[in-house]
Amino acid sequence: MDYCIKNKAMVLYGYVIMSNHIHMVVQSGDGKLSDLIRDFKKFTAKTILSKIQSEPESRKEWMLERFRLATESHSRNKVFQFWQYGNHPEEIYTNLFMWSKLDYIHLNPVRAGLVEKASHYLYSSASNYVHNVGLVIIEKADNPIVDVMNVNNVRRYDLY
């Protein structure tokens, strides 16, 4: 993510990295979102595969075999297939919609039972919003006005 922020004009508003998928709320600074996602996948796949091959890893052969087998159903990659083809972009058209997406992705680790509070999950931008620190520097989305008289809103934000 840092690479794409610094070199590919990625504006990152939020993310969560789970064991089998990643969610990101991003904007392409140059207006070419599909190119940005392609470059992100290419860079991360090469970097992670290189680390698996060069670092001590007890599951190295097992993982590499999974990535080799994944190439059988795709013609583009000949050696390893790290990412699934495609993505599921949604255009964010309002600040409230942005926050519904941020809430959804930040609560993934809570729903999965990994942490009690979203901000406790290391591989997420929830702590950037709650504590102003995180693994990756993000562009914080403007906070919507929360109706504190609605108990559902208060409980939702208390999860962070």
Side-chain angles (χ1 to χ4, degrees):
M1 290 182 211
D2 284 332
Y3 171 81
C4 287
I5 291 168
K6 292 173 185 162
N7 300 294
K8 299 291 179 178
M10 181 166 84
V11 181
L12 180 66
Y13 295 101
Y15 70 92
V16 65
I17 301 170
M18 301 295 287
S19 64
N20 63 348
H21 67 283
I22 183 171
H23 291 282
M24 296 189 301
V25 178
V26 300
Q27 177 181 0
S28 175
D30 61 10
K32 298 177 183 174
L33 185 59
S34 61
D35 289 354
L36 172 63
I37 299 301
R38 179 202 62 219
D39 292 348
F40 172 81
K41 286 180 167 185
K42 183 177 179 180
F43 179 83
T44 55
K46 283 185 174 185
T47 303
I48 293 169
L49 287 166
S50 173
K51 293 282 187 190
I52 291 170
Q53 292 171 318
S54 65
E55 304 281 327
E57 168 56 60
S58 62
R59 300 162 297 163
K60 176 195 298 193
E61 295 307 318
W62 178 84
M63 286 190 286
L64 293 175
E65 182 59 21
R66 301 284 78 71
F67 299 138
R68 262 192 227 83
L69 289 172
T71 64
E72 293 176 0
S73 59
H74 299 287
S75 60
R76 275 192 243 161
N77 291 336
K78 302 296 181 201
V79 181
F80 297 115
Q81 175 71 37
F82 184 82
W83 291 103
Q84 288 181 340
Y85 284 116
N87 52 65
H88 307 287
E90 290 186 51
E91 182 177 2
I92 295 179
Y93 46 88
T94 68
N95 197 27
L96 287 175
F97 188 58
M98 165 89 83
W99 274 93
S100 74
K101 294 302 171 186
L102 288 170
D103 285 344
Y104 174 81
I105 69 171
H106 287 153
L107 291 173
N108 258 226
V110 176
R111 286 189 296 272
L114 301 173
V115 290
E116 282 189 32
K117 294 185 176 190
S119 62
H120 293 172
Y121 190 66
L122 184 62
Y123 304 105
S124 163
S125 57
S127 64
N128 295 74
Y129 284 95
V130 175
H131 305 294
N132 290 318
V133 294
L135 290 179
V136 180
I137 296 173
I138 64 162
E139 184 73 29
K140 288 171 71 173
D142 291 334
N143 229 335
I145 296 173
V146 176
D147 178 5
V148 293
M149 299 307 286
N150 181 339
V151 72
N152 291 328
N153 287 336
V154 174
R155 284 194 188 125
R156 181 180 73 207
Y157 285 93
D158 190 40
L159 293 171
Y160 290 125

